Amino acid sequence: MSLLETLNEDMKTAMKAKDKSTLSVVRMLKSAVMNEKINLGHDLTNDEEVAVLSRELKQRKDSVREFEKGNRDDLVADTKAEIEVVEKYLPAQLSEADVKKIITETVSEVGAQSMADFGKVMSSVMPKLKGQADGKLVNQTVKQLLQ
């Protein structure tokens, strides 16, 4: 079942359950996927779907940080609930240990020695971890390994 079909089914379920918060998030996700489909002019591949979902997740995580800075606890709770809904559609996230292992293997594959090779490592490792690990975690881990 494609992501759009899953979103449609979940939208129906949320409507029947009168779950307004889940319904609004699912509608936003469906809208984002449809907009991406229109922009690209073709049905989305799995990688493209994950990219859209990851972008939506990142926006919500950034919002949580901003709301916390502004002491808006009411909005923090709502946004964290949205994050849980979005994460349901993403592939399972790798643990920090798994991420570090993949990055370590990639560092040795590309022969990276110092921070000068940071870009080379990142361009090689991100396709391997796309949708499975937070970009900030990957960035920090690569920097730690290259120091």
Side-chain angles (χ1 to χ4, degrees):
M1 186 181 304
S2 77
L3 178 61
L4 278 176
E5 292 169 347
T6 304
L7 290 171
N8 280 329
E9 290 301 314
D10 289 350
M11 200 164 70
K12 290 177 193 173
T13 304
M15 280 187 224
K16 289 178 184 174
K18 299 188 188 310
D19 184 356
K20 291 182 181 180
S21 61
T22 301
L23 179 61
S24 86
V25 175
V26 172
R27 281 183 172 155
M28 281 189 269
L29 292 175
K30 183 180 177 197
S31 174
V33 170
M34 290 299 295
N35 286 338
E36 189 73 11
K37 180 179 177 181
I38 291 167
N39 287 342
L40 295 176
H42 62 79
D43 288 340
L44 301 181
T45 65
N46 284 341
D47 286 343
E48 291 167 337
E49 289 174 347
V50 168
V52 171
L53 293 173
S54 295
R55 184 170 51 239
E56 292 294 316
L57 181 65
K58 183 179 184 310
Q59 287 174 354
R60 283 164 177 75
K61 285 183 176 181
D62 291 344
S63 295
V64 166
R65 278 189 226 102
E66 292 302 316
F67 294 149
E68 286 172 342
K69 286 180 188 174
N71 294 322
R72 294 295 311 266
D73 296 332
D74 55 329
L75 296 175
V76 169
D78 292 343
T79 309
K80 284 185 177 180
E82 289 181 13
I83 288 172
E84 289 178 21
V85 174
V86 175
E87 285 177 336
K88 189 170 81 168
Y89 299 101
L90 283 166
Q93 297 290 297
L94 295 173
S95 68
E96 283 188 44
D98 291 338
V99 170
K100 188 170 185 171
K101 179 181 175 206
I102 291 170
I103 293 172
T104 303
E105 291 169 359
T106 305
V107 165
S108 63
E109 283 174 18
V110 298
Q113 299 294 322
S114 66
M115 282 301 287
D117 300 319
F118 178 80
K120 193 187 319 180
V121 173
M122 287 298 288
S123 65
S124 181
V125 82
M126 283 311 288
K128 296 177 185 178
L129 297 174
K130 190 168 190 115
Q132 297 177 325
D134 182 44
K136 286 185 179 179
L137 172 64
V138 174
N139 189 314
Q140 291 170 347
T141 308
V142 170
K143 285 181 180 176
Q144 287 174 353
L145 291 172
L146 292 179
Q147 286 181 347

